[in-house]
Amino acid sequence: MESLLFSSSLLSAAGGGLCLRKQNLKLLPLSGNRVNLRCNSSNVLANMKSRNNLVTRLDGHQESSSLFFCSKHDKSRFQANATTGQPEAFDPKSKPNSFRDSLDAFYRFSRPHTVIGTVLSILSVSFLAVEKVSDISPLLFTGILEAVVAALMMNIYIVGLNQLSDVEIDKVNKPYLPLASGEYSVKTGIAIVASFSIMSFWLGWIVGSWPLFWALFVSFMLGTAYSINLPLLRWKRFALVAAMCILAVRAIIVQIAFYLHIQTHVFGRPVMFTRPLIFATAFMSFFSIVIALFKDIPDIEGDKIFGIRSFSVTLGQKRVFWTCVSLLQMAYAVAILVGATSPFIWSKVISVVGHVILATTLWTRAKSVDLSSKTEITSCYMFIWKLFYAEYLLLPFLK
């Protein structure tokens, strides 16, 4: 077959934009279905690796190509190295606005969907401790602020450590994250997580609330064990243990510890496990399991490559997807029954109607998802987080 010579500064393909340095490239056929890209100027063979399937075969069939796709956050800022196929180090000179881009990088590093979940969960659980109108006071909001700030700093430590431990995996699954893209160096990542963990513990200590301090400590221990690559640790490799870690933090620690922070430290009342608190803990246990299972569905390709035995890898995406949907539908059914037994009419109406709407919305959305599309699965995962937020808005109305 005759060689094809072309010059390009930008190629595009389904699923993302491909950024290459402008240079002459010679397309040479090899044996089998492989296609090589060769640079005329240096004759360096570029066998570039990527997570994306690109139509590159000359006979019109699909072939797994090795091209690095740029993040949709800013495609012009991530270049593929023509020799290695991996993203090159982030070039500060390419930033149009240093301060804005620094904020954007930190925003992505902090994993904002987890930040929102943390804030809403603490606010919601704190109001479960409110027994009378006079409880809604500056004292309550001061206690909530202490808990939110300390928890957010610990949240950044946990998600940051996970990114530090998963840089190579994230280059496949989440190349837009700052460490995977090269915007942050490993040293920068370490400095951020170390600083935020220290500040979190410092605030928890000076506040003097033991429920708050223990919530931070247990979250720190489980978050570290989940991610860090040390003997007997990196529990995320084991699907069941990973799910239990997320359940322990999101379902048990958040509900009980932050409730006790308000109940005992702020209001000075004895420990009491109320009906709404028990329901919130049980319901969020279901939700946390769903989040733990669902988060791995769009990441199946990178997890397979790096030996992460998630449920999506072992059982398949479709099976895990519908298991998650079924678990949430069961949780909503229980919530409707619990709401219907409330002695307060307003609580009964809000709980029942609210959960019927959420269950219906979930089912409608789930049926429309194309499980062969990573984009749609990821979008549905973020939709699950929105349902998570909505539940915390409903919980204070359950009496």
Side-chain angles (χ1 to χ4, degrees):
M1 183 179 294
E2 192 175 2
S3 298
L4 301 176
L5 185 65
F6 61 97
S7 176
S8 173
S9 60
L10 178 66
L11 298 177
S12 63
L18 171 64
C19 303
L20 291 176
R21 289 178 175 174
K22 186 172 183 179
Q23 54 187 305
N24 289 330
L25 298 174
K26 182 184 291 183
L27 183 62
L28 297 176
L30 289 184
S31 59
N33 295 327
R34 297 290 301 278
V35 172
N36 278 343
L37 293 175
R38 185 169 299 193
C39 178
N40 265 359
S41 59
S42 62
N43 289 329
V44 178
L45 185 65
N47 279 321
M48 298 186 290
K49 299 179 180 178
S50 169
R51 64 184 177 88
N52 296 285
N53 289 329
L54 181 64
V55 178
T56 57
R57 285 181 53 185
L58 299 179
D59 58 5
H61 298 288
Q62 286 187 345
E63 170 69 332
S64 182
S65 179
S66 60
L67 301 172
F68 175 75
F69 284 87
C70 302
S71 165
K72 62 184 178 182
H73 290 281
D74 191 346
K75 295 176 183 178
S76 65
R77 290 157 59 193
F78 301 95
Q79 287 186 321
N81 184 298
T83 303
T84 66
Q86 299 299 326
E88 293 182 347
F90 181 73
D91 182 8
K93 295 179 180 178
S94 69
K95 294 191 288 185
N97 186 318
S98 246
F99 180 70
R100 185 196 68 187
D101 289 342
S102 295
L103 287 179
D104 176 65
F106 183 75
Y107 175 82
R108 283 178 278 126
F109 183 79
S110 67
R111 309 297 280 143
H113 61 283
T114 66
V115 169
I116 296 171
T118 298
V119 173
L120 286 179
S121 61
I122 294 174
L123 285 171
S124 179
V125 170
S126 297
F127 276 94
L128 291 180
V130 173
E131 297 178 357
K132 50 188 182 294
V133 176
S134 60
D135 287 341
I136 303 176
S137 64
L139 182 65
L140 170 64
F141 291 107
T142 300
I144 292 175
L145 182 62
E146 293 168 344
V148 166
V149 174
L152 284 183
M153 290 190 289
M154 185 56 67
N155 189 89
I156 291 172
Y157 163 77
I158 292 172
V159 298
L161 180 65
N162 188 56
Q163 290 171 68
L164 282 168
S165 303
D166 285 355
V167 173
E168 295 304 317
I169 298 178
D170 286 341
K171 287 178 181 178
V172 176
N173 289 337
K174 304 179 184 76
Y176 53 85
L177 294 178
L179 284 166
S181 69
E183 289 171 272
Y184 281 177
S185 66
V186 172
K187 288 183 179 180
T188 299
I190 292 174
I192 292 173
V193 299
S195 300
F196 276 87
S197 63
I198 292 170
M199 289 190 295
S200 178
F201 279 123
W202 172 78
L203 180 57
W205 180 262
I206 65 170
V207 165
S209 169
W210 282 110
L212 175 60
F213 185 84
W214 281 107
L216 299 174
F217 179 75
V218 176
S219 298
F220 173 86
M221 296 300 292
L222 290 177
T224 302
Y226 178 87
S227 297
I228 198 165
N229 195 11
L230 291 175
L232 303 180
L233 300 179
R234 195 163 173 74
W235 292 350
K236 68 179 296 178
R237 293 176 298 168
F238 313 105
L240 183 61
V241 180
M244 291 303 101
C245 284
I246 294 174
L247 183 149
V249 174
R250 288 284 174 191
I252 299 175
I253 293 174
V254 168
Q255 319 310 316
I256 297 177
F258 290 108
Y259 171 85
L260 292 178
H261 165 67
I262 300 297
Q263 176 78 356
T264 62
H265 176 73
V266 176
F267 292 148
R269 296 169 183 160
V271 174
M272 181 183 301
F273 294 95
T274 62
R275 177 175 177 265
L277 176 64
I278 294 171
F279 169 78
T281 303
F283 188 94
M284 286 306 170
S285 295
F286 270 86
F287 227 122
S288 298
I289 291 172
V290 168
I291 287 176
L293 296 177
F294 211 111
K295 74 179 185 62
D296 294 324
I297 299 177
D299 293 342
I300 189 170
E301 186 173 348
D303 289 348
K304 282 181 178 178
I305 294 172
F306 291 93
I308 303 298
R309 302 293 295 170
S310 67
F311 281 115
S312 294
V313 171
T314 57
L315 301 178
Q317 289 174 300
K318 183 176 180 179
R319 188 173 178 181
V320 174
F321 177 87
W322 286 109
T323 297
C324 291
V325 173
S326 299
L327 285 173
L328 275 187
Q329 293 291 10
M330 287 191 292
Y332 285 138
V334 172
I336 291 169
L337 292 175
V338 172
T341 62
S342 173
F344 304 98
I345 297 297
W346 59 268
S347 175
K348 186 178 300 187
V349 171
I350 293 175
S351 298
V352 172
V353 174
H355 287 105
V356 167
I357 292 173
L358 293 181
T360 303
T361 305
L362 170 63
W363 184 252
T364 303
R365 179 63 185 271
K367 289 193 299 182
S368 69
V369 175
D370 178 5
L371 294 178
S372 64
S373 169
K374 179 174 180 177
T375 301
E376 288 198 25
I377 296 174
T378 303
S379 176
C380 189
Y381 172 60
M382 300 313 299
F383 175 74
I384 295 295
W385 273 94
K386 291 175 183 176
L387 295 178
F388 183 78
Y389 307 153
E391 187 58 37
Y392 274 117
L393 296 178
L394 286 176
L395 281 178
F397 294 101
L398 182 66
K399 299 295 181 181

